[in-house]
């Protein structure tokens, strides 16, 4: 058991997330090494973690990897071990083939397996035990995302002295869909172990409160749910509220201003044959992102002669994701067949209709792509927030470029007006918007981009974590509660 401060037992701030903010690898000599992985969450939390002596509990990303807690960049990292069987049932199964499609409007059909649920419970308990072990008396624990919805309740049972926050990074579905889940009651009770439950949009928070009303007999008033105490009298309060997440806007802005990135952006355009219009899509290869709808619309615009392959091109970055899950394998097939067909039909020597890249890239290359793109296409069928839309805006200090943004993203709630909003299910409507984006005059681009940048440069991810934590810190911890040992 490690101690962060002399005379102090445990950490004052503990973050619990499915993934640790590092990637492990085995060196040629056979030693286990790790590198930082530059996720959004760690950027947001690093400053507070360093200031508060924080610990981060998470999975290494590899099967059967067991490692002692260690220090990295002023944080304690605490790896949780998952067996291959648990990765299959808890991560690929229940998290990404049950909850993920259910919470994204059943775009793909969710699978309900009792063995997956058993693994989800067991792994959530392991994360809760690890967090309970790291947290100092009266500490604050912040649990993240749909993979760990049972942790707040489990943690409260182990450690009634803690302040517990939960943030749901993905949508929370309407109760009419959530109600399909055989374990809906356990999930709601799991989340209600927290003092504050954060969501991306007001609509997500409202969906959750409605689910509480329909599924339990707890009383709710606006965003506050009152839990009964042991005698059934009104007890502690839980607050369910929106805290829209953001990005490190300044970092992206600075990156995109750097001479290297500016140079690379020019190089990208010239490699593409200096077309008049570069369209860009950047997504994890996920069926929630509307990649097929976007590509279909683009293909039809070429077919209709409204776009010309010698004057426009689409760059689609699709980073590999959850490749062991069937729905993701099917999607890859469909996208690659569609891209092949469109390129075969409309491409010319030296002019590809679509440049499809099944890779992920470092943020420098992403910033250069954003700068090179005249039109950014974010056409998700459902998305908790969508940070790509925000990164594009942060990269465009030149106040050029057009953001086409799906109505079904959290970002659309926050950023309108400014983007061109689309309903990706309406292919004709989307084609008109894509064509209008390509034709938008620079003055109108500037007017919209200024508005977007004002919002994004001020509402960055540091502000997001501060606002969540300030609501959580305002919760009075139970005075006399002692940790159970
Ligand atoms: C979404 C989820 C995250 C998840 C990420 C990448 O953004 O909200 O919790 O980490 O996708 O997915 P992966 O399954 O690779 O962790």
């Amino acid at each position: 058991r490690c101690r962060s401060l002399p005379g102090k037992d445990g950490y004052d701030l503990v973050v619990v997330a499915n993934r640790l903010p590092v990637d492990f690898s085995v060196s040629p000599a056979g030693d286990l090494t790790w590198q930082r992985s530059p996720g959004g969450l760690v950027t947001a939390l690093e400053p507070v973690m360093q200031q508060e002596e924080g610990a981060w509990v998470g999975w290494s990303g590899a099967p059967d990897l067991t490692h002692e807690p260690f220090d990295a960049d002023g944080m304690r990292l605490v790896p949780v071990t998952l067996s291959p069987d648990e990765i299959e049932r808890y991560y690929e199964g229940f998290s990404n083939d049950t909850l993920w499609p259910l919470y994204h409007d059943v775009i793909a059909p969710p699978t309900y397996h009792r063995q997956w649920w058993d693994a989800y419970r067991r792994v959530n308990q392991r994360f809760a035990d690890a967090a309970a072990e790291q947290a100092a008396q009266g500490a604050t624990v912040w649990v993240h995302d749909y993979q760990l919805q049972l942790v707040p309740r489990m943690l409260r049972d182990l450690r009634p002295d803690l302040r517990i926050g939960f943030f749901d990074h993905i949508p929370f579905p309407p109760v009419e869909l959530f109600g399909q889940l055989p374990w809906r009651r356990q999930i709601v009770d799991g989340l209600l172990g927290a003092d504050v439950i954060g969501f991306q949009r007001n609509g997500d928070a409202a969906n959750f409160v409605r689910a509480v009303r329909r599924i339990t007999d707890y009383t709710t008033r606006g965003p506050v749910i009152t839990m009964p105490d042991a005698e059934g009298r009104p007890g502690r309060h839980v607050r369910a509220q929106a805290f829209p997440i953001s990005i490190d806007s300044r970092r992206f802005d600075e990156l995109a201003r750097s001479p290297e990135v500016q140079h690379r952006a020019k190089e990208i355009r010239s490699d593409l044959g200096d077309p008049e219009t570069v369209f860009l899509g950047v997504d994890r290869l996920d069926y929630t992102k509307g990649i097929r709808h976007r590509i279909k619309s683009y293909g039809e615009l070429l077919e209709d002669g409204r776009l010309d392959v010698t004057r426009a091109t689409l760059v689609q970055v699709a980073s590999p994701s959850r490749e062991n899950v069937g729905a993701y394998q099917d999607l890859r097939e469909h996208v690659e067949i569609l891209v092949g067909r469109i390129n075969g039909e409309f491409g010319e020597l030296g002019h590809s209709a679509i440049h499809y890249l099944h890779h992920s890239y470092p943020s420098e290359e992403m910033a250069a792509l954003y700068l090179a793109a005249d039109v950014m296409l974010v056409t998700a069928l459902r998305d908790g927030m969508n940070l790509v839309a925000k990164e594009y805006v942060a990269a465009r200090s030149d106040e050029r470029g057009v953001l086409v943004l799906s109505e079904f993203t959290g970002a659309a709630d926050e950023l309108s007006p400014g983007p061109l909003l689309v309903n990706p299910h309406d292919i004709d409507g989307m084609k008109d918007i894509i064509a209008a984006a390509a034709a938008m005059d620079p003055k109108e681009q500037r007017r919209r981009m200024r508005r977007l940048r004002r919002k994004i440069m001020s509402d960055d991810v540091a502000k997001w974590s501060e606002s969540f934590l300030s609501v959580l810190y305002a919760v009075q911890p139970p005075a006399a509660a002692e940790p159970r040992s």
Side-chain angles (χ1 to χ4, degrees):
R1 173 79 191 270
C2 64
R3 275 153 205 233
S4 57
L5 297 172
K8 241 189 124 188
D9 205 1
Y11 294 86
D12 290 330
L13 178 62
V14 179
V15 165
V16 190
N18 180 51
R19 285 181 186 274
L20 277 180
V22 289
D23 290 323
F24 286 89
S25 48
V26 180
S27 74
D31 305 321
L32 197 62
T33 60
W34 55 268
Q35 307 82 17
R36 288 286 303 275
S37 66
L41 193 56
V42 65
T43 329
L45 297 179
E46 203 167 14
V48 257
M49 294 290 273
Q50 288 165 350
Q51 203 179 323
E52 304 264 337
E53 296 286 334
W56 186 309
V57 175
W59 171 45
S60 67
D64 276 341
L65 190 146
T66 303
H67 198 287
E68 284 303 303
F70 60 102
D71 290 318
D73 301 314
M75 290 183 274
R76 188 73 169 164
L77 300 188
V78 183
V80 172
T81 306
L82 296 184
S83 70
D85 193 57
E86 286 165 342
I87 293 173
E88 201 180 312
R89 295 177 184 198
Y90 148 79
Y91 170 69
E92 291 161 356
F94 200 78
S95 296
N96 289 322
D97 210 10
T98 306
L99 295 172
W100 181 268
L102 178 65
Y103 282 31
H104 289 87
D105 290 356
V106 301
I107 295 165
T111 307
Y112 303 114
H113 273 319
R114 285 166 284 186
Q115 297 92 327
W116 291 0
W117 164 249
D118 291 340
Y120 185 80
R121 254 193 344 207
R122 202 167 56 242
V123 170
N124 270 246
Q125 188 67 57
R126 189 171 310 149
F127 276 83
D129 292 345
E133 195 183 323
Q134 298 299 325
Q137 166 74 16
T140 299
V141 181
W142 191 0
V143 184
H144 290 267
D145 229 356
Y146 62 102
Q147 303 94 343
L148 299 174
Q149 293 173 99
L150 303 178
V151 170
R153 171 86 256 160
M154 291 169 164
L155 200 50
R156 185 166 297 280
D157 288 345
L158 289 164
R159 293 286 306 271
D161 59 301
L162 300 177
R163 247 192 217 117
I164 303 171
F166 180 90
F167 187 77
D168 177 19
H169 292 251
I170 69 171
F172 195 88
V175 68
E176 290 75 7
L177 294 177
F178 182 69
Q180 288 184 9
L181 188 68
W183 308 281
R184 60 200 184 188
R185 176 68 200 238
Q186 291 94 315
I187 295 283
V188 165
D189 278 328
L191 290 169
L192 287 171
D195 297 295
V196 178
I197 309 176
F199 296 91
Q200 301 282 24
R201 301 174 311 146
N202 290 328
D204 297 314
N207 283 346
F208 176 71
V209 174
R210 263 187 79 218
V212 171
R213 280 210 299 272
R214 284 277 285 276
I215 292 168
T216 74
D217 53 9
Y218 308 146
T219 37
T220 69
R221 189 149 182 248
V224 177
I225 300 129
T226 303
M227 305 294 289
D229 68 10
E231 282 79 45
R233 288 187 303 248
R236 62 185 190 90
H237 301 301
V238 181
R239 174 173 280 276
Q241 188 184 318
F243 300 88
I245 201 169
S246 192
I247 56 163
D248 187 346
S249 317
R250 184 148 322 136
R251 198 184 132 252
F252 242 91
D253 174 71
E254 280 167 11
L255 193 59
R257 288 176 198 261
S258 72
E260 295 79 11
V261 168
Q262 300 257 338
H263 173 77
R264 176 69 188 137
K266 292 203 180 84
E267 196 172 73
I268 289 171
R269 282 194 81 101
S270 119
D271 288 350
L272 292 170
D274 277 321
E276 274 164 40
T277 313
V278 175
F279 295 90
L280 176 66
V282 173
D283 313 85
R284 274 186 311 103
L285 186 45
D286 193 300
Y287 50 80
T288 58
K289 303 291 184 181
I291 301 171
R292 286 194 297 149
H293 297 63
R294 180 186 316 159
I295 292 178
K296 184 178 168 67
S297 304
Y298 194 79
E300 287 193 16
L301 285 166
L302 290 169
E303 187 171 9
D304 300 346
R306 293 167 77 185
L307 288 179
D308 175 346
V309 77
T310 64
R311 290 157 65 178
T313 194
L314 167 61
V315 177
Q316 176 63 56
V317 175
S319 49
S321 187
R322 305 176 190 165
E323 291 182 289
N324 289 329
V325 179
Y328 289 75
Q329 295 166 351
D330 294 347
L331 173 74
R332 183 172 176 192
E333 283 292 310
H334 289 142
V335 166
E336 294 183 355
I337 287 171
L338 194 60
V339 168
R341 192 174 293 158
I342 292 173
N343 276 338
E345 194 138 335
F346 303 107
E348 291 178 14
L349 285 174
H351 299 287
S352 284
I354 302 171
H355 292 78
Y356 168 76
L357 306 160
H358 186 237
H359 302 293
S360 39
Y361 294 97
S363 47
E364 290 76 12
E365 183 72 357
M366 294 316 306
L369 279 163
Y370 293 141
L371 272 182
D374 303 291
V375 179
M376 181 79 219
L377 299 173
V378 177
T379 62
L381 306 174
R382 177 57 73 198
D383 208 334
M385 174 53 61
N386 196 287
L387 296 180
V388 163
K390 294 193 171 185
E391 288 177 1
Y392 180 66
V393 171
R396 298 313 298 248
S397 59
D398 59 355
E399 298 177 343
R400 296 294 297 267
V402 183
L403 174 62
V404 172
L405 181 62
S406 161
E407 292 165 22
F408 302 107
T409 61
D413 274 33
E414 266 196 285
L415 298 181
S416 310
L420 294 181
L421 291 186
V422 285
N423 170 4
H425 297 281
D426 171 12
I427 299 293
D428 283 336
M430 186 148 70
K431 284 163 64 184
D432 290 344
I433 300 268
I434 293 174
M440 190 183 286
D441 72 65
K443 219 171 119 208
E444 177 69 2
Q445 291 185 23
R446 176 162 299 124
R447 196 181 67 79
R448 287 173 177 272
M449 192 52 86
R450 272 204 187 137
R451 197 184 282 232
L452 287 168
R453 287 182 60 80
R454 260 202 301 279
K455 171 94 185 146
I456 281 169
M457 296 312 291
S458 65
D459 289 352
D460 68 357
V461 73
K463 210 159 147 187
W464 168 77
S465 56
E466 278 158 26
S467 69
F468 184 91
L469 287 172
S470 71
V471 173
L472 185 55
Y473 287 142
V475 172
Q476 286 303 315
E482 286 294 324
R484 268 192 226 157
S485 52

